């Protein structure tokens, strides 16, 4: 049985586990699909992006994300964060990086702009996953 929900929090307790299991299954399938396309190579930023989208959906955040950075980012403003997230009255920006990834000059510029506007800007790495989960509560 497949359930379609806008918010897992609206479901009775008995169905929440089923929805969460479906999300985990989709995440696994997406990861397996990426491995098939990339020859099994690890892509930490892509894997982390999938996890952040599951978390954003579960915590009822609306978000904008440029998919397939290689194709679409060329038409976007350089350095703009990977995610712009909204849950009224909150707005935040998230840049996804591997453990060793560094912000480009353009990304640093956008980070400064967001912070000067009072919008929190987070750099999400695998090691900072727990802290971003706290922010999304």
């Amino acid at each position: 049985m497949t359930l379609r929900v806008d918010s897992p929090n609206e479901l009775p307790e008995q169905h929440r586990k089923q929805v969460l299991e479906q999300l985990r299954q989709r995440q696994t399938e997406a990861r397996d699909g990426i491995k098939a396309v990339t020859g099994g190579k690890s892509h930490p930023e892509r894997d982390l992006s999938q996890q952040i989208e599951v978390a954003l959906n579960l915590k009822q955040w609306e978000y904008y994300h440029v998919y397939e950075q290689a194709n679409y980012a060329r038409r976007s403003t350089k350095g703009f964060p990977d995610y712009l997230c909204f849950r009224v009255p909150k707005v935040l920006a998230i840049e996804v990086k591997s453990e060793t990834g560094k912000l480009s000059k353009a990304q640093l510029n956008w980070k400064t702009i967001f912070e000067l506007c009072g919008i929190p800007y987070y750099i999400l790495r695998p090691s900072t996953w727990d802290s971003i989960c706290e922010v999304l509560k």
Side-chain angles (χ1 to χ4, degrees):
M1 178 174 136
T2 301
L3 294 174
R4 177 172 165 74
V5 295
D6 294 320
S7 167
N9 294 334
E10 295 172 3
L11 291 171
E13 182 64 34
Q14 63 200 36
H15 295 296
R16 282 188 198 155
K17 289 181 182 179
Q18 186 177 2
V19 169
L20 291 174
E21 183 55 38
Q22 287 177 5
L23 288 171
R24 284 188 204 104
Q25 180 64 32
R26 285 186 201 143
Q27 188 176 19
T28 300
E29 289 169 0
R31 193 171 14 255
D32 290 346
I34 289 168
K35 287 179 183 175
V37 169
T38 62
K41 295 178 185 171
S42 175
H43 291 277
E45 290 182 28
R46 211 177 298 170
D47 293 345
L48 202 51
S49 289
Q50 291 170 350
Q51 292 174 351
I52 191 70
E53 289 179 20
V54 169
L56 287 166
N57 286 322
L58 285 173
K59 300 295 183 179
Q60 301 177 354
W61 284 80
E62 297 293 329
Y63 62 92
Y64 170 77
H65 174 58
V66 177
Y67 296 94
E68 299 297 330
Q69 293 290 327
N71 295 326
Y72 297 108
R74 286 181 281 191
R75 292 180 243 158
S76 298
T77 303
K78 272 192 164 190
F80 198 79
D82 293 316
Y83 291 90
L84 195 53
C85 311
F86 306 88
R87 190 172 71 191
V88 177
K90 297 179 183 180
V91 177
L92 57 96
I94 299 173
E95 179 63 35
V96 179
K97 289 290 182 193
S98 67
E99 285 302 331
T100 57
K102 302 209 185 298
L103 293 179
S104 68
K105 185 176 179 180
Q107 288 170 326
L108 286 168
N109 186 50
W110 275 108
K111 180 180 185 296
T112 301
I113 290 169
F114 276 97
E115 290 172 344
L116 288 173
C117 290
I119 298 172
Y121 184 104
Y122 297 92
I123 301 167
L124 176 61
R125 301 175 191 279
S127 63
T128 61
W129 177 251
D130 289 341
S131 62
I132 199 71
C133 287
E134 284 296 313
V135 169
L136 297 178
K137 281 187 175 179

